[in-house]
Amino acid sequence: MTTDASPPLTRLRQDGFVIIRSVLTPSELTALRAAAARLTTAARTGAWPHVRTVGKQFPPWDASLVKQGVGIWGVQHLLHPDLPVDAKDREEFVRLYFHEKLLNVARELLEIEEDEGYDGKMTMELCNMLVRPDGSGNDKKGFALRWHRDDIPWSATPEEEMARLKKEGDKYVHTQWNLPLWDDDSLIVVPGSHKRARTQVERDADPFEENLEGQVKVELNAGDVVFYDNNILHRGVYDGEKERMTLHGSVGHAEGSRERARNVLQHGVGEWVDRCDFSVLGEGKERRTAEGMRRRLVELGRENQGRDVGYSLEG
Ligand SMILES: O=C(O)CCC(=O)C(=O)O
């Protein structure tokens, strides 16, 4: 009889996503909601240059539009040392990103044995937040992302898609998650599409097709988390009237650093990561893990210094 040592990894490989319920306690949720609300308010007034503006799906985004009344659908870099909130709120985001429950799942998905030591293998990557689209114009109606894979252009041929997608037995070198602070069903995916080229129907579909065959809404309660293969066919459909504060992060594997360089560094993280303050994590294992993860990212930045990493997708 075979035993499945890692159901989350099995599900990720099979479906392209895996939901873990109730990762946060009620009090963690309350504290994070308060910090996230203050950050969102600051970002909506133009106090933070690193935002995703309504109307544009992929980076780079032009934050000056916020002062002209354009809404935002995301706030970038929650671990940034200059985030326009007080230190206590910044500490909430640090605690969340390095939360033991999240890192334990990430470690399983990245197939890192606990006794290999987290700090030698896991790499700090992105920590952003996706919010209810808001602004002074039509964007009150909401906003939608078109169907995409995060790191493979829509123009790719089936052969190009297959060459970039994970093959049976390939290890994950990074993992991406969404953790909503309010119930959230904005993410829509096509299960299984992370391991095959698009069908002709998918290729021919409208980029904003509302009913792609096999699609499912990822229904999350506040405090749940979904880890997903970011090359699964997916889109986001956002309701301008419904609260959304969904933390959106990723964790890398040190051995995949080259492959990940574009994805992480296109967001400019390399410019500030060495100034992050993780002292809220104390001096024990949690802190050592965080410092190790940061060190790997700094090394990644150094290796890519002066190299134009470009953008994965445009538009
Ligand atoms: O809003 C979401 O959950 C999905 C976001 C997304 O697809 C993206 O950032 O590429």
Side-chain angles (χ1 to χ4, degrees), residues 85-153:
V85 285
D86 66 25
K88 285 262 164 295
D89 287 350
R90 282 199 294 276
E91 287 170 7
E92 288 301 332
F93 301 132
V94 168
R95 267 199 286 262
L96 182 277
Y97 183 76
F98 295 107
H99 198 295
E100 196 182 9
K101 288 193 190 156
L102 285 183
L103 292 186
N104 279 341
V105 181
R107 183 176 54 75
E108 254 185 78
L109 300 179
L110 297 172
E111 297 179 76
I112 297 171
E113 294 298 326
E114 192 155 10
D115 61 9
E116 286 183 83
Y118 290 163
D119 64 340
K121 296 281 182 174
M122 283 201 282
T123 304
M124 179 178 150
E125 289 199 348
L126 302 172
C127 186
N128 299 323
M129 176 167 60
L130 303 174
V131 299
R132 171 176 57 85
D134 190 20
S136 60
N138 284 337
D139 40 4
K140 279 217 163 47
K141 290 187 196 132
F143 176 53
L145 305 185
R146 62 185 192 232
W147 287 104
H148 65 288
R149 304 188 195 270
D150 280 358
D151 208 25
I152 304 179

Side-chain angles (χ1 to χ4, degrees), residues 8-60:
L9 179 57
T10 306
R11 292 205 295 278
L12 179 70
R13 285 192 185 285
Q14 260 169 20
D15 301 335
F17 68 104
V18 52
I19 297 172
I20 319 277
R21 300 285 176 193
S22 303
V23 166
L24 297 185
T25 63
S27 66
E28 287 172 327
L29 200 52
T30 304
L32 274 163
R33 278 182 179 168
R38 284 187 282 268
L39 175 60
T40 307
T41 302
R44 289 200 204 288
T45 60
W48 186 236
H50 307 293
V51 288
R52 301 183 179 200
T53 53
V54 169
K56 191 164 193 304
Q57 178 159 347
F58 301 114

Side-chain angles (χ1 to χ4, degrees), residues 52 58 73 130 145 148 150 178 186-187 228 234-236 238 244 248:
R52 301 183 179 200
F58 301 114
W73 65 278
L130 303 174
L145 305 185
H148 65 288
D150 280 358
N178 274 12
S186 315
L187 176 65
Y228 58 104
H234 67 286
R235 69 186 295 240
Y238 311 123
R244 185 180 204 220
H248 176 62

